Structure formats: structure tokens, C-alpha cells
Amino acid sequence: QVQLVESGGGLVQPGGSLRLSCAASGSTFSINAMGWYRQAPGKQRELVADITRGGISNYADSVKGRFTISRDNAKNTVYLQMNSLKPEDTAVYYCKVVTGVGGRYWGQGTQVTVSS
């Protein structure tokens, strides 16, 4: 089992920045990929970015050049640096990890609101 605790969401003006963190505990030795998803009201949950244990990252087209995903394997933590935020980035952001045996775990979600 893996437990995830997210932090860093909040209210920010358009053009601003936020940094999300997701700390994993439990069977962390088995974690492979870590990533961030988001879900806006009335929309399906979508991938924002993910990163392999070796540091290979992947981004949704809508956030390329603005968001950066990173991870600290020693701390079992994944980060999402979000710059140049837009109102359409408003959503609940969820952390997800995938383990080597195919387990998938989700965080509780953190609200990001971009508004003036």
C-alpha cells in the first residue's frame, strides 16, 4: 500500500505561480511512475504530467512550457511547478503513483483556482 499526501494548492491570479507537492509513504520502494492529473468541474480527469523513476517526463500539450514536474526519489516526493497560470488551469489536482506490480494510488486532491 502507498499513501499520498498533497499540498500546495490555493488561489492565484492569472500569470501567477504555484508549486504542488505530493509525498508518498508506505511501500514506496515499489513506486515507478509518479504524476499529476486534474479534474475541472463537469470535465473528465486528465493527465497533466508524469515522470518515471529515471526522470523521463511527459506533459499534456496544454501545459508544456509552463509546468515542470520533478521528483525526489530519496524523499518519495513529486512536485509540480506551475507558472504562467491561466483561468483554464482551475481544477482539483490529483497525485497518482504506479507501482512495479501494477498498483495505482491516488491522492485526495488539492484545489487550484486561478482567478483575478
Side-chain angles (χ1 to χ4, degrees), residues 54-109:
I56 299 173
S57 57
N58 174 55
Y59 295 91
D61 288 343
S62 59
V63 306
K64 283 181 181 177
R66 300 188 298 123
F67 291 11
T68 302
I69 190 169
S70 61
R71 64 188 284 176
D72 184 331
N73 291 331
K75 295 182 178 180
N76 299 307
T77 300
V78 62
Y79 306 95
L80 186 68
Q81 178 66 44
M82 305 185 293
N83 299 328
S84 302
L85 282 160
K86 305 176 181 180
E88 51 263 43
D89 294 317
T90 295
V92 178
Y93 284 69
Y94 296 91
C95 174
K96 176 186 173 182
V97 303
V98 179
T99 67
V101 293
R104 286 163 172 78
Y105 300 90
W106 292 91
Q108 80 283 1

Side-chain angles (χ1 to χ4, degrees), residues 11-15 85-87 90 113-116:
L11 172 64
V12 64
Q13 292 187 342
L85 282 160
K86 305 176 181 180
T90 295
T113 302
V114 185
S115 175
S116 55

Side-chain angles (χ1 to χ4, degrees), residues 12-81:
V12 64
Q13 292 187 342
S17 298
L18 282 175
R19 188 192 195 208
L20 305 183
S21 299
C22 173
S25 61
S27 301
T28 57
F29 64 90
S30 64
I31 292 175
N32 283 342
M34 304 181 82
W36 291 95
Y37 287 69
R38 68 186 180 187
Q39 188 167 18
K43 295 188 176 181
Q44 289 188 331
R45 192 172 297 189
E46 62 177 3
L47 172 69
V48 176
D50 58 18
I51 186 167
T52 67
R53 191 170 187 84
I56 299 173
S57 57
N58 174 55
Y59 295 91
D61 288 343
S62 59
V63 306
K64 283 181 181 177
R66 300 188 298 123
F67 291 11
T68 302
I69 190 169
S70 61
R71 64 188 284 176
D72 184 331
N73 291 331
K75 295 182 178 180
N76 299 307
T77 300
V78 62
Y79 306 95
L80 186 68
Q81 178 66 44

